[in-house]
Amino acid sequence: MIDRRKFIKSVSLLAGTLPFVKPLNFSKFAKTNVEKPIVISTWDFGLPANEEAWKVLSSGGRALDAVEAGVKVPEGDPNVNTVGYGGLPDRDGHVTLDACIMDENFRCGSVMFLEGIKHPISVARAVMEKTPHIIFAGDGALQFALQNGFKEENLLTPESEAAWKEWLKTGVYKPWEKKDWDNKDSHDTIGMIAIDSNGNLSGACTTSGLKFKMHGRVGDSPVIGAALYVDNDYGAAVSTGVGEEVIRISGAHTVVELMRNGYSPADACKGAVDRIIKINKDKAKELQVGFLALNKFGEYGSYAIQPEFQYAVYSNKEKNVLKNSISHF
Ligand code: GLY
């Protein structure tokens, strides 16, 4: 039986963690000066990714095409060791990739635990467009990719292999460590969201996941509603950081729901981070999670647990600016 007093207490506690805001009016007459197109993405490797996405957006292209083209840049860059080719392997030496994509019509596709394909985001898009399904995993995802013309290749670069062999010397399994988010070379997921000149939203997310993770571990990045969510009437959100905590609160979906209820993008991101902090109590000091959101009016914002989270913005007003997120600590 539901304890009514407990329920009311928990609702008011939750409300206490969220800022009080006047709901936005999402009717189509609410704003005429929508900033579009615009693309935003996580971390400093979002800068060259935005540049590529902007080529699509500035020529009147679709947000879906822009985010796919954008995140393929770090996927193909061997110097980005948390995404695609050159990603750090799991503790058994396998580079296993997770990615998802979502368009303006609630269509979505995802791959998880995929090996040997440089652009998992394009496989995720093929899942969305060529099958009635949403998620393909592991060997099945690879088989699907090969059947659809993708080429299998070795994604473990000599640098990533050397880093893994160095780690093996001690091999202590500590999945998330503060030094990882302090280290500017050790960022994780690229999440990208965009609004195109027709006012349509889309998003993409791709990663090699936690470095030296347990074989088979999958984070939030291929989970629609966790790492990425798009509701074309209201907004889109992406996450970065410790995927387990993002999945626990259906992070990106939570952010979009808060925007749908009138929160600004930054306040909506804060609302989701506050939940993670409340659940984790003191352990929150050991975690990094950041959310990035864009609403239907072209307004954007972010909020992270730790101060190190940065994101890149490209619009007609701002040409590829890197911004520091607001953070809890
Ligand atoms: N956010 C990426 C991961 O946890 O795998």
Side-chain angles (χ1 to χ4, degrees), residues 98 188-189 207-210 213 217-221 227 239-244 246:
D98 303 327
D188 74 354
T189 320
T207 189
S208 51
L210 284 173
K213 60 196 173 187
R217 181 265 183 191
V218 170
D220 57 328
S221 303
S239 69
T240 184
V242 177
E244 284 73 3
V246 177

Side-chain angles (χ1 to χ4, degrees), residues 155-200:
L155 303 181
L156 187 64
T157 56
E159 291 75 17
S160 291
E161 188 172 9
W164 168 60
K165 287 192 170 148
E166 189 57 35
W167 177 81
L168 279 180
K169 286 181 186 164
T170 51
V172 180
Y173 189 64
K174 280 193 192 161
W176 34 90
E177 292 184 90
K178 189 165 183 333
K179 69 175 170 54
D180 287 345
W181 67 75
D182 285 345
N183 176 359
K184 289 247 176 285
D185 298 328
S186 184
H187 298 153
D188 74 354
T189 320
I190 180 150
M192 176 179 278
I193 41 186
I195 186 165
D196 60 30
S197 42
N198 290 320
N200 287 322

Side-chain angles (χ1 to χ4, degrees), residues 284-307:
K285 292 192 193 87
E286 309 300 320
L287 300 171
Q288 173 62 307
V289 171
F291 291 101
L292 185 55
L294 174 66
N295 73 12
K296 192 69 181 167
F297 304 137
E299 296 162 339
Y300 60 84
S302 76
Y303 197 86
I305 301 179
Q306 309 292 341

